[in-house]
Amino acid sequence: MAVEKNNENIRTIEDDEIEISSQDANVEIEDEGQQEPIVQIDQEGNAVEVTEQELEPQEENFYANLSEDMDERVLQKLGLELVSFYKSDKNSRKSWEDGYRKGLDFITDSYRSTSRPFQGASTVTHPLLSEAVTQFQAQAYKELLPATGPVRTQIVGAVDRAREDQAERVKEFMNFELMEKMEEYTTDMDQLLYQLPLAGSAFKKVYYDAISERAVSKFVPAEELVVPYMATDLLSAERITHVLTLTENELTKRQLSGFYRDIDLQPSADTQSDLEKKIDEVSGVEKIVSKDKYYKILEMHVDLDLEEYEMEDNKTEKRIKVPYIVTLDESSAQVLSVYRNYKEEDELARRIEYFVQYKFLPGLGFYGFGLVHMIGGLTKAATNALRQLLDAGTLSNLPAGFKSRGMRIRDDDQPFVPGEFRDVDAPGGNIRDQFQILPFK
């Protein structure tokens, strides 16, 4: 009900007498929560509308790929320096690679023909080294990977029923993880125990794989892990370089997942080191030219001060370097990723260790001694003696020597068979006087 006041005469107006036109009732109500867009100019000079929420600084992900936000010139400078460090570290262990390569000659008894010292000479290899390696591998595998599982538990302190039950549950869970869930654990450990007595060192890379959503323990051969010359162990090594060989599909998956930067790379050149060629020869494989593309990637666990690379003159205040994992392409030195390698809450920035080293004998350096270094010379001597004995027996059974020029034997290019006599055209005298057998014994 409405009330109308006119000259102090009050009259009541009923609700049905009120008519409101829709055209006269257009009322605009401002939405106090609506925000006006803010215009910014991007790098290409175009006007882009953004909201206040987009302008607010986002919280940085501590474990994000830092290379996505780094300047390209800084990345190029960082990549070139790290590749030069890797090549210097690799050249410093060349003598170790040469000794390891020569020792691989006595591992397998390859069936190959030779013409020296004569056609059909023996090429057998004494099994001293290979037998020692096989025995170590068999004994160690039985001890480290028994049928019940490798994990054992021990209670420290007071022992009661509850702690015993807890220890049993821990043992069963760990054995299940290693033997059942981690499918690569047993096969990689088997391969590690065979190569360990040869090279003197072998490595395992232990980490959590986000793709498979489980822990991973991968075998890393000694030739694929490079450390500086002054390194004595993994904990004190300033740099640890893991050499990866990725296919085009593997590289693409890591780039599309955001783990690596999505940049164009050229396939690595089809070149092999002398050690890689020898390993292929012993394995019975050969690298051939194909359409498959491979990329040699360097994953470097290194201590860095990234601000040092942002200055053109490198004249910055000395600061403590902290651990990073930098992944880059060896051929082009382009950086694919830069990740912090320490925990966010760790004020000391201690490096997270991914690699575990196994040594056959401690030796005098980082890589230790293997059976190649300990009994490689003895194996070579035994191989030479065995070949000489076999060659002497061959020459005794099929003797050679001189004969008179006028002495003619029919079918002299064919070897004798038991019970065979051939015609001889002797110019006269005793046949025995027409031959001179060389003394092979």
Side-chain angles (χ1 to χ4, degrees), residues 73-108:
R73 292 173 297 178
V74 175
L75 293 176
Q76 183 180 7
K77 184 178 179 181
L78 175 63
L80 291 174
E81 182 172 304
L82 291 182
V83 169
S84 66
F85 285 157
Y86 160 72
K87 292 181 179 179
S88 176
D89 297 341
K90 187 173 176 61
N91 291 332
S92 67
R93 68 168 195 176
K94 190 175 186 305
S95 298
W96 174 85
E97 290 186 355
D98 292 340
Y100 181 37
R101 175 178 55 83
K102 293 176 181 178
L104 292 178
D105 288 330
F106 305 107
I107 284 298
T108 59

mmCIF file of all heavy atoms in Angstrom, residues 73-108:
data_model
loop_
_atom_site.group_PDB
_atom_site.id
_atom_site.type_symbol
_atom_site.label_atom_id
_atom_site.label_comp_id
_atom_site.label_asym_id
_atom_site.label_seq_id
_atom_site.Cartn_x
_atom_site.Cartn_y
_atom_site.Cartn_z
ATOM 1 N N ARG A 73 71.523 -16.228 -23.024
ATOM 2 C CA ARG A 73 72.967 -16.019 -23.017
ATOM 3 C C ARG A 73 73.613 -16.642 -21.781
ATOM 4 O O ARG A 73 74.728 -17.185 -21.847
ATOM 5 C CB ARG A 73 73.262 -14.522 -23.084
ATOM 6 C CG ARG A 73 72.888 -13.865 -24.404
ATOM 7 C CD ARG A 73 73.045 -12.366 -24.329
ATOM 8 N NE ARG A 73 72.146 -11.775 -23.328
ATOM 9 C CZ ARG A 73 72.106 -10.483 -23.036
ATOM 10 N NH1 ARG A 73 72.929 -9.641 -23.669
ATOM 11 N NH2 ARG A 73 71.268 -10.028 -22.129
ATOM 12 N N VAL A 74 72.918 -16.578 -20.659
ATOM 13 C CA VAL A 74 73.432 -17.205 -19.441
ATOM 14 C C VAL A 74 73.479 -18.717 -19.599
ATOM 15 O O VAL A 74 74.458 -19.371 -19.205
ATOM 16 C CB VAL A 74 72.563 -16.801 -18.238
ATOM 17 C CG1 VAL A 74 73.011 -17.530 -16.979
ATOM 18 C CG2 VAL A 74 72.603 -15.302 -18.030
ATOM 19 N N LEU A 75 72.452 -19.286 -20.199
ATOM 20 C CA LEU A 75 72.425 -20.736 -20.420
ATOM 21 C C LEU A 75 73.530 -21.173 -21.372
ATOM 22 O O LEU A 75 74.153 -22.230 -21.179
ATOM 23 C CB LEU A 75 71.064 -21.151 -20.969
ATOM 24 C CG LEU A 75 69.869 -21.002 -20.009
ATOM 25 C CD1 LEU A 75 68.575 -21.356 -20.724
ATOM 26 C CD2 LEU A 75 70.043 -21.887 -18.786
ATOM 27 N N GLN A 76 73.780 -20.397 -22.406
ATOM 28 C CA GLN A 76 74.835 -20.740 -23.354
ATOM 29 C C GLN A 76 76.208 -20.700 -22.679
ATOM 30 O O GLN A 76 77.042 -21.593 -22.881
ATOM 31 C CB GLN A 76 74.804 -19.776 -24.541
ATOM 32 C CG GLN A 76 75.827 -20.114 -25.620
ATOM 33 C CD GLN A 76 75.751 -19.136 -26.784
ATOM 34 O OE1 GLN A 76 75.028 -18.143 -26.728
ATOM 35 N NE2 GLN A 76 76.493 -19.413 -27.833
ATOM 36 N N LYS A 77 76.421 -19.692 -21.877
ATOM 37 C CA LYS A 77 77.689 -19.587 -21.160
ATOM 38 C C LYS A 77 77.868 -20.737 -20.177
ATOM 39 O O LYS A 77 78.962 -21.322 -20.059
ATOM 40 C CB LYS A 77 77.734 -18.244 -20.431
ATOM 41 C CG LYS A 77 79.037 -17.950 -19.728
ATOM 42 C CD LYS A 77 78.972 -16.574 -19.073
ATOM 43 C CE LYS A 77 80.259 -16.265 -18.337
ATOM 44 N NZ LYS A 77 80.211 -14.932 -17.676
ATOM 45 N N LEU A 78 76.794 -21.073 -19.483
ATOM 46 C CA LEU A 78 76.841 -22.182 -18.530
ATOM 47 C C LEU A 78 77.089 -23.503 -19.237
ATOM 48 O O LEU A 78 77.913 -24.329 -18.794
ATOM 49 C CB LEU A 78 75.526 -22.234 -17.750
ATOM 50 C CG LEU A 78 75.334 -23.415 -16.785
ATOM 51 C CD1 LEU A 78 76.363 -23.382 -15.676
ATOM 52 C CD2 LEU A 78 73.923 -23.398 -16.217
ATOM 53 N N GLY A 79 76.402 -23.749 -20.368
ATOM 54 C CA GLY A 79 76.554 -25.003 -21.091
ATOM 55 C C GLY A 79 77.958 -25.197 -21.643
ATOM 56 O O GLY A 79 78.532 -26.291 -21.545
ATOM 57 N N LEU A 80 78.540 -24.165 -22.224
ATOM 58 C CA LEU A 80 79.889 -24.280 -22.789
ATOM 59 C C LEU A 80 80.918 -24.583 -21.707
ATOM 60 O O LEU A 80 81.832 -25.397 -21.910
ATOM 61 C CB LEU A 80 80.253 -22.986 -23.522
ATOM 62 C CG LEU A 80 79.473 -22.699 -24.814
ATOM 63 C CD1 LEU A 80 79.837 -21.326 -25.359
ATOM 64 C CD2 LEU A 80 79.740 -23.776 -25.865
ATOM 65 N N GLU A 81 80.767 -23.960 -20.563
ATOM 66 C CA GLU A 81 81.737 -24.203 -19.488
ATOM 67 C C GLU A 81 81.607 -25.614 -18.925
ATOM 68 O O GLU A 81 82.621 -26.284 -18.663
ATOM 69 C CB GLU A 81 81.540 -23.178 -18.382
ATOM 70 C CG GLU A 81 82.549 -23.326 -17.243
ATOM 71 C CD GLU A 81 82.470 -22.188 -16.253
ATOM 72 O OE1 GLU A 81 82.608 -21.028 -16.690
ATOM 73 O OE2 GLU A 81 82.264 -22.454 -15.056
ATOM 74 N N LEU A 82 80.376 -26.101 -18.757
ATOM 75 C CA LEU A 82 80.190 -27.441 -18.200
ATOM 76 C C LEU A 82 80.660 -28.518 -19.171
ATOM 77 O O LEU A 82 81.216 -29.544 -18.746
ATOM 78 C CB LEU A 82 78.722 -27.651 -17.832
ATOM 79 C CG LEU A 82 78.207 -26.823 -16.645
ATOM 80 C CD1 LEU A 82 76.755 -27.154 -16.355
ATOM 81 C CD2 LEU A 82 79.054 -27.049 -15.412
ATOM 82 N N VAL A 83 80.465 -28.323 -20.466
ATOM 83 C CA VAL A 83 80.952 -29.299 -21.449
ATOM 84 C C VAL A 83 82.476 -29.351 -21.442
ATOM 85 O O VAL A 83 83.084 -30.432 -21.541
ATOM 86 C CB VAL A 83 80.417 -28.963 -22.853
ATOM 87 C CG1 VAL A 83 81.123 -29.795 -23.921
ATOM 88 C CG2 VAL A 83 78.919 -29.218 -22.925
ATOM 89 N N SER A 84 83.117 -28.207 -21.295
ATOM 90 C CA SER A 84 84.583 -28.196 -21.221
ATOM 91 C C SER A 84 85.069 -28.902 -19.956
ATOM 92 O O SER A 84 86.083 -29.611 -19.983
ATOM 93 C CB SER A 84 85.097 -26.759 -21.262
ATOM 94 O OG SER A 84 84.696 -26.035 -20.107
ATOM 95 N N PHE A 85 84.358 -28.743 -18.846
ATOM 96 C CA PHE A 85 84.694 -29.469 -17.626
ATOM 97 C C PHE A 85 84.575 -30.976 -17.834
ATOM 98 O O PHE A 85 85.435 -31.749 -17.394
ATOM 99 C CB PHE A 85 83.784 -29.032 -16.476
ATOM 100 C CG PHE A 85 84.122 -27.686 -15.905
ATOM 101 C CD1 PHE A 85 83.173 -26.930 -15.229
ATOM 102 C CD2 PHE A 85 85.401 -27.167 -16.034
ATOM 103 C CE1 PHE A 85 83.491 -25.693 -14.708
ATOM 104 C CE2 PHE A 85 85.722 -25.929 -15.508
ATOM 105 C CZ PHE A 85 84.769 -25.193 -14.857
ATOM 106 N N TYR A 86 83.499 -31.403 -18.504
ATOM 107 C CA TYR A 86 83.294 -32.831 -18.734
ATOM 108 C C TYR A 86 84.411 -33.420 -19.591
ATOM 109 O O TYR A 86 84.940 -34.506 -19.286
ATOM 110 C CB TYR A 86 81.936 -33.050 -19.412
ATOM 111 C CG TYR A 86 81.821 -34.379 -20.108
ATOM 112 C CD1 TYR A 86 81.698 -35.567 -19.388
ATOM 113 C CD2 TYR A 86 81.837 -34.462 -21.502
ATOM 114 C CE1 TYR A 86 81.601 -36.795 -20.029
ATOM 115 C CE2 TYR A 86 81.737 -35.676 -22.146
ATOM 116 C CZ TYR A 86 81.628 -36.832 -21.408
ATOM 117 O OH TYR A 86 81.546 -38.042 -22.056
ATOM 118 N N LYS A 87 84.793 -32.738 -20.663
ATOM 119 C CA LYS A 87 85.858 -33.253 -21.532
ATOM 120 C C LYS A 87 87.185 -33.315 -20.790
ATOM 121 O O LYS A 87 87.969 -34.256 -20.979
ATOM 122 C CB LYS A 87 85.974 -32.369 -22.767
ATOM 123 C CG LYS A 87 84.764 -32.459 -23.702
ATOM 124 C CD LYS A 87 84.937 -31.589 -24.933
ATOM 125 C CE LYS A 87 83.732 -31.724 -25.867
ATOM 126 N NZ LYS A 87 83.864 -30.868 -27.070
ATOM 127 N N SER A 88 87.450 -32.348 -19.940
ATOM 128 C CA SER A 88 88.678 -32.378 -19.147
ATOM 129 C C SER A 88 88.672 -33.549 -18.167
ATOM 130 O O SER A 88 89.687 -34.243 -18.000
ATOM 131 C CB SER A 88 88.837 -31.053 -18.394
ATOM 132 O OG SER A 88 89.964 -31.089 -17.550
ATOM 133 N N ASP A 89 87.537 -33.789 -17.519
ATOM 134 C CA ASP A 89 87.437 -34.922 -16.594
ATOM 135 C C ASP A 89 87.595 -36.252 -17.330
ATOM 136 O O ASP A 89 88.237 -37.181 -16.813
ATOM 137 C CB ASP A 89 86.089 -34.883 -15.867
ATOM 138 C CG ASP A 89 85.939 -33.641 -15.002
ATOM 139 O OD1 ASP A 89 86.959 -33.017 -14.682
ATOM 140 O OD2 ASP A 89 84.782 -33.295 -14.679
ATOM 141 N N LYS A 90 87.031 -36.360 -18.510
ATOM 142 C CA LYS A 90 87.114 -37.607 -19.266
ATOM 143 C C LYS A 90 88.544 -37.875 -19.748
ATOM 144 O O LYS A 90 89.015 -39.014 -19.723
ATOM 145 C CB LYS A 90 86.153 -37.549 -20.460
ATOM 146 C CG LYS A 90 86.035 -38.860 -21.234
ATOM 147 C CD LYS A 90 84.956 -38.772 -22.282
ATOM 148 C CE LYS A 90 84.889 -40.052 -23.121
ATOM 149 N NZ LYS A 90 84.571 -41.232 -22.281
ATOM 150 N N ASN A 91 89.239 -36.822 -20.176
ATOM 151 C CA ASN A 91 90.624 -37.002 -20.631
ATOM 152 C C ASN A 91 91.547 -37.390 -19.481
ATOM 153 O O ASN A 91 92.570 -38.064 -19.697
ATOM 154 C CB ASN A 91 91.124 -35.718 -21.292
ATOM 155 C CG ASN A 91 90.439 -35.447 -22.620
ATOM 156 O OD1 ASN A 91 89.994 -36.370 -23.313
ATOM 157 N ND2 ASN A 91 90.334 -34.184 -22.997
ATOM 158 N N SER A 92 91.219 -36.982 -18.266
ATOM 159 C CA SER A 92 92.079 -37.291 -17.128
ATOM 160 C C SER A 92 92.068 -38.781 -16.780
ATOM 161 O O SER A 92 92.983 -39.246 -16.087
ATOM 162 C CB SER A 92 91.649 -36.476 -15.910
ATOM 163 O OG SER A 92 90.361 -36.877 -15.453
ATOM 164 N N ARG A 93 91.088 -39.532 -17.227
ATOM 165 C CA ARG A 93 91.028 -40.972 -16.924
ATOM 166 C C ARG A 93 91.307 -41.829 -18.160
ATOM 167 O O ARG A 93 90.913 -42.990 -18.218
ATOM 168 C CB ARG A 93 89.654 -41.330 -16.360
ATOM 169 C CG ARG A 93 88.521 -41.217 -17.356
ATOM 170 C CD ARG A 93 87.257 -41.845 -16.824
ATOM 171 N NE ARG A 93 86.274 -42.063 -17.876
ATOM 172 C CZ ARG A 93 85.101 -42.668 -17.687
ATOM 173 N NH1 ARG A 93 84.770 -43.096 -16.498
ATOM 174 N NH2 ARG A 93 84.259 -42.850 -18.689
ATOM 175 N N LYS A 94 91.979 -41.264 -19.154
ATOM 176 C CA LYS A 94 92.238 -41.989 -20.395
ATOM 177 C C LYS A 94 93.079 -43.242 -20.154
ATOM 178 O O LYS A 94 92.860 -44.288 -20.766
ATOM 179 C CB LYS A 94 92.928 -41.077 -21.404
ATOM 180 C CG LYS A 94 93.021 -41.672 -22.806
ATOM 181 C CD LYS A 94 93.610 -40.686 -23.786
ATOM 182 C CE LYS A 94 93.556 -41.245 -25.208
ATOM 183 N NZ LYS A 94 94.209 -42.561 -25.316
ATOM 184 N N SER A 95 94.061 -43.152 -19.250
ATOM 185 C CA SER A 95 94.902 -44.324 -18.955
ATOM 186 C C SER A 95 94.070 -45.449 -18.363
ATOM 187 O O SER A 95 94.296 -46.637 -18.656
ATOM 188 C CB SER A 95 96.031 -43.928 -17.995
ATOM 189 O OG SER A 95 96.871 -42.960 -18.588
ATOM 190 N N TRP A 96 93.106 -45.090 -17.505
ATOM 191 C CA TRP A 96 92.223 -46.121 -16.948
ATOM 192 C C TRP A 96 91.394 -46.778 -18.049
ATOM 193 O O TRP A 96 91.226 -48.000 -18.062
ATOM 194 C CB TRP A 96 91.298 -45.495 -15.900
ATOM 195 C CG TRP A 96 90.266 -46.440 -15.370
ATOM 196 C CD1 TRP A 96 90.408 -47.339 -14.358
ATOM 197 C CD2 TRP A 96 88.926 -46.597 -15.852
ATOM 198 N NE1 TRP A 96 89.251 -48.042 -14.173
ATOM 199 C CE2 TRP A 96 88.318 -47.616 -15.082
ATOM 200 C CE3 TRP A 96 88.192 -45.983 -16.858
ATOM 201 C CZ2 TRP A 96 87.012 -48.013 -15.283
ATOM 202 C CZ3 TRP A 96 86.883 -46.390 -17.059
ATOM 203 C CH2 TRP A 96 86.306 -47.395 -16.284
ATOM 204 N N GLU A 97 90.878 -46.001 -18.983
ATOM 205 C CA GLU A 97 90.094 -46.555 -20.081
ATOM 206 C C GLU A 97 90.938 -47.473 -20.961
ATOM 207 O O GLU A 97 90.470 -48.527 -21.407
ATOM 208 C CB GLU A 97 89.486 -45.431 -20.918
ATOM 209 C CG GLU A 97 88.377 -44.661 -20.225
ATOM 210 C CD GLU A 97 87.719 -43.659 -21.144
ATOM 211 O OE1 GLU A 97 88.197 -43.504 -22.296
ATOM 212 O OE2 GLU A 97 86.733 -43.022 -20.726
ATOM 213 N N ASP A 98 92.191 -47.088 -21.222
ATOM 214 C CA ASP A 98 93.061 -47.922 -22.061
ATOM 215 C C ASP A 98 93.348 -49.261 -21.386
ATOM 216 O O ASP A 98 93.324 -50.316 -22.044
ATOM 217 C CB ASP A 98 94.368 -47.183 -22.349
ATOM 218 C CG ASP A 98 94.167 -45.964 -23.245
ATOM 219 O OD1 ASP A 98 93.126 -45.912 -23.935
ATOM 220 O OD2 ASP A 98 95.030 -45.065 -23.236
ATOM 221 N N GLY A 99 93.631 -49.244 -20.085
ATOM 222 C CA GLY A 99 93.874 -50.498 -19.380
ATOM 223 C C GLY A 99 92.643 -51.389 -19.345
ATOM 224 O O GLY A 99 92.747 -52.614 -19.503
ATOM 225 N N TYR A 100 91.496 -50.785 -19.133
ATOM 226 C CA TYR A 100 90.243 -51.548 -19.120
ATOM 227 C C TYR A 100 89.949 -52.132 -20.501
ATOM 228 O O TYR A 100 89.534 -53.296 -20.629
ATOM 229 C CB TYR A 100 89.116 -50.631 -18.664
ATOM 230 C CG TYR A 100 87.764 -51.278 -18.581
ATOM 231 C CD1 TYR A 100 87.600 -52.594 -18.158
ATOM 232 C CD2 TYR A 100 86.612 -50.559 -18.920
ATOM 233 C CE1 TYR A 100 86.355 -53.174 -18.073
ATOM 234 C CE2 TYR A 100 85.357 -51.133 -18.835
ATOM 235 C CZ TYR A 100 85.239 -52.434 -18.424
ATOM 236 O OH TYR A 100 83.997 -53.015 -18.353
ATOM 237 N N ARG A 101 90.201 -51.344 -21.547
ATOM 238 C CA ARG A 101 89.953 -51.814 -22.917
ATOM 239 C C ARG A 101 90.859 -52.997 -23.269
ATOM 240 O O ARG A 101 90.397 -53.983 -23.852
ATOM 241 C CB ARG A 101 90.165 -50.670 -23.898
ATOM 242 C CG ARG A 101 90.068 -51.050 -25.364
ATOM 243 C CD ARG A 101 90.243 -49.842 -26.256
ATOM 244 N NE ARG A 101 91.487 -49.146 -25.965
ATOM 245 C CZ ARG A 101 92.671 -49.495 -26.451
ATOM 246 N NH1 ARG A 101 92.779 -50.566 -27.237
ATOM 247 N NH2 ARG A 101 93.753 -48.799 -26.150
ATOM 248 N N LYS A 102 92.128 -52.931 -22.905
ATOM 249 C CA LYS A 102 93.049 -54.036 -23.212
ATOM 250 C C LYS A 102 92.682 -55.290 -22.431
ATOM 251 O O LYS A 102 92.854 -56.419 -22.921
ATOM 252 C CB LYS A 102 94.475 -53.608 -22.900
ATOM 253 C CG LYS A 102 94.994 -52.499 -23.808
ATOM 254 C CD LYS A 102 96.394 -52.052 -23.394
ATOM 255 C CE LYS A 102 96.891 -50.919 -24.291
ATOM 256 N NZ LYS A 102 98.239 -50.435 -23.875
ATOM 257 N N GLY A 103 92.199 -55.124 -21.215
ATOM 258 C CA GLY A 103 91.821 -56.288 -20.425
ATOM 259 C C GLY A 103 90.615 -57.021 -20.973
ATOM 260 O O GLY A 103 90.453 -58.231 -20.745
ATOM 261 N N LEU A 104 89.748 -56.310 -21.709
ATOM 262 C CA LEU A 104 88.562 -56.963 -22.275
ATOM 263 C C LEU A 104 88.915 -57.963 -23.365
ATOM 264 O O LEU A 104 88.076 -58.791 -23.740
ATOM 265 C CB LEU A 104 87.606 -55.897 -22.833
ATOM 266 C CG LEU A 104 86.943 -54.981 -21.801
ATOM 267 C CD1 LEU A 104 86.073 -53.942 -22.493
ATOM 268 C CD2 LEU A 104 86.110 -55.779 -20.812
ATOM 269 N N ASP A 105 90.148 -57.903 -23.917
ATOM 270 C CA ASP A 105 90.554 -58.874 -24.931
ATOM 271 C C ASP A 105 90.613 -60.287 -24.382
ATOM 272 O O ASP A 105 90.518 -61.258 -25.145
ATOM 273 C CB ASP A 105 91.931 -58.498 -25.499
ATOM 274 C CG ASP A 105 91.863 -57.273 -26.399
ATOM 275 O OD1 ASP A 105 90.801 -57.079 -27.026
ATOM 276 O OD2 ASP A 105 92.852 -56.521 -26.469
ATOM 277 N N PHE A 106 90.776 -60.429 -23.057
ATOM 278 C CA PHE A 106 90.944 -61.757 -22.466
ATOM 279 C C PHE A 106 89.663 -62.269 -21.804
ATOM 280 O O PHE A 106 89.701 -63.228 -21.036
ATOM 281 C CB PHE A 106 92.069 -61.720 -21.425
ATOM 282 C CG PHE A 106 93.364 -61.199 -21.971
ATOM 283 C CD1 PHE A 106 93.808 -59.933 -21.630
ATOM 284 C CD2 PHE A 106 94.127 -61.956 -22.845
ATOM 285 C CE1 PHE A 106 94.990 -59.437 -22.132
ATOM 286 C CE2 PHE A 106 95.317 -61.469 -23.362
ATOM 287 C CZ PHE A 106 95.754 -60.204 -23.011
ATOM 288 N N ILE A 107 88.534 -61.635 -22.118
ATOM 289 C CA ILE A 107 87.278 -62.057 -21.510
ATOM 290 C C ILE A 107 86.622 -63.166 -22.323
ATOM 291 O O ILE A 107 86.174 -64.178 -21.798
ATOM 292 C CB ILE A 107 86.329 -60.853 -21.363
ATOM 293 C CG1 ILE A 107 86.793 -59.991 -20.197
ATOM 294 C CG2 ILE A 107 84.893 -61.297 -21.119
ATOM 295 C CD1 ILE A 107 86.768 -60.705 -18.873
ATOM 296 N N THR A 108 86.547 -62.999 -23.617
ATOM 297 C CA THR A 108 85.846 -63.957 -24.465
ATOM 298 C C THR A 108 86.834 -64.643 -25.394
ATOM 299 O O THR A 108 87.871 -64.088 -25.761
ATOM 300 C CB THR A 108 84.770 -63.256 -25.306
ATOM 301 O OG1 THR A 108 85.391 -62.248 -26.122
ATOM 302 C CG2 THR A 108 83.725 -62.623 -24.412
#
